[in-house]
C-alpha cells in the first residue's frame, strides 16, 4: 500500500500521516504536487488518496492529476481521506466518482473536520483552544478508522446518495465555477510585498513570480492558500480583501 495526497496548508498531510502511522508505519506517502512516483502507484494495488475539499468539490490540481493519468487507476483499491473546514457533503464521493470512471474500486471514505485555513475570510475562524480540540477529535477519528480498516470494515463516509445530495445542495450547486477552472484573481499588495519569494517557493502551481522585486500572480491558482498563509507581510489575498488570521497547523500540534 502507498499513500498519495495534496495538502494546501498542511491539514491533509497531517491526517494521512496520522492514518499511515496508525495503520502501518511502512506506508510510503507522496505529495502529488511535488514527488509522486507514478510508477510506484502503478505497482501498488492498494492506495490511500487524501485531499482537501473546496466548495464541496475537488481542488482543480487534484482533479487534473486524476484525469492526466487515466490508465493509472484501473483495478486499484482506493481508500479516500477528505479534509474540510466544516461539512462538505460528499467530499470522498467527488473523488470516488472520478476515480471510478477510470476503473478504480473505492474501498471506503473518511471525512475529517480540520481548522479553517482560508486566512482572508472571517467566517470559520476559531480560537486556539477550539482548533486544538478539532485536531484532537480528528486524530481520534483517524485512529478509529485505521482500526476499522485493519478489520476490513472501513468507514464509507461521503459515498452514498444522501452525502451526494448534501454536497450538491450545500455548496457545489451554487459554487461549481469556483473549482471548475483555476482561479485568476490573486491579489498582491505591492506596497507591503518585500519580494522575499516565500510565496513563490510555496505555490504548488508555480503561479507566482517576481517582477521588479515584487511578487506577481498569474492565472493558475488552485485555491490552496499556501502563499497567503506563509507571506510574512500578509500581502496576499485570494477570496477576501485582507488577511484576518494566518494559519499553520504546526502551531497547533
Amino acid at each position: 500500500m502507498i499513500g498519495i495526497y495534496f495538502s494546501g496548508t498542511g491539514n491533509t498531510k497531517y491526517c494521512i500521516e496520522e492514518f499511515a502511522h496508525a495503520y502501518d508505519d511502512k506506508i510510503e506517502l507522496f505529495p502529488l504536487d511535488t514527488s509522486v512516483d507514478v510508477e510506484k502507484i502503478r505497482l501498488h494495488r492498494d492506495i490511500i488518496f487524501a485531499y482537501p475539499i473546496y466548495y464541496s468539490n475537488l481542488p482543480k490540481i487534484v482533479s487534473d492529476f486524476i484525469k492526466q493519468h487515466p490508465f493509472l487507476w484501473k483495478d486499484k483499491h482506493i481508500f479516500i481521506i477528505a479534509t474540510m473546514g466544516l461539512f462538505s457533503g460528499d467530499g470522498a464521493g467527488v473523488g470516488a466518482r472520478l476515480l471510478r470512471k477510470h476503473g478504480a474500486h473505492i474501498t471506503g471514505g473518511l471525512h475529517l473536520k480540520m481548522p479553517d485555513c482560508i486566512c482572508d475570510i472571517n467566517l470559520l475562524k476559531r480560537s486556539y483552544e477550539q482548533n486544538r480540540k478539532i485536531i484532537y477529535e480528528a486524530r481520534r477519528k483517524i485512529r478509529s478508522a485505521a482500526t476499522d480498516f485493519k478489520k476490513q470494515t472501513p468507514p464509507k463516509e461521503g459515498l452514498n446518495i444522501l452525502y451526494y445530495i448534501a454536497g450538491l445542495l450545500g455548496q457545489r450547486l451554487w459554487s461549481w465555477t469556483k473549482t471548475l477552472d483555476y482561479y485568476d484573481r490573486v491579489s498582491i499588495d505591492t506596497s507591503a510585498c518585500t519580494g522575499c519569494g516565500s510565496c513563490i517557493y510555496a505555490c504548488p502551481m508555480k503561479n507566482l513570480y517576481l517582477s521588479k522585486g515584487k511578487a506577481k500572480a498569474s492565472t493558475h491558482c488552485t485555491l490552496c492558500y499556501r502563499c497567503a498563509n506563509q507571506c510574512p507581510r500578509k500581502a496576499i489575498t485570494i477570496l477576501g480583501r485582507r488577511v484576518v488570521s494566518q494559519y499553520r497547523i504546526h502551531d497547533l500540534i
Side-chain angles (χ1 to χ4, degrees), residues 11 14 113-115 130-140 247 249 252-253:
N11 282 340
Y14 173 80
K113 178 181 174 182
M114 290 294 284
Q130 288 171 323
N131 280 330
R132 289 270 295 176
K133 184 177 180 181
I134 287 171
I135 292 173
Y136 171 82
E137 290 298 328
R139 186 164 59 244
R140 182 189 59 79
Y247 174 74
I249 189 171
L252 296 168
I253 56 176

Side-chain angles (χ1 to χ4, degrees), residues 10 23 51 59 69 101 112 151 161 165 176 222 241-242:
Y23 181 72
Y51 51 77
H69 303 89
K101 286 183 180 179
L112 297 168
K151 296 176 182 177
I161 187 64
I165 293 169
W176 183 259
T222 193
R241 295 188 176 184
R242 70 180 182 88

Side-chain angles (χ1 to χ4, degrees), residues 19 77-82 87 89-94 96-97 100 105-112 141 144-145 148-149 151-164:
F19 186 89
H77 290 217
I78 301 178
F79 180 74
I80 295 174
I81 296 175
F87 172 72
D90 57 342
V94 288
R97 289 191 293 276
R100 282 180 183 132
H105 303 286
I106 306 303
T107 58
L110 178 62
H111 283 183
L112 297 168
K141 189 174 181 182
S144 176
D148 290 340
F149 200 94
K151 296 176 182 177
Q152 298 185 346
T153 56
K156 306 279 187 180
E157 294 180 323
L159 300 177
N160 68 34
I161 187 64
L162 295 178
Y163 284 106
Y164 171 77

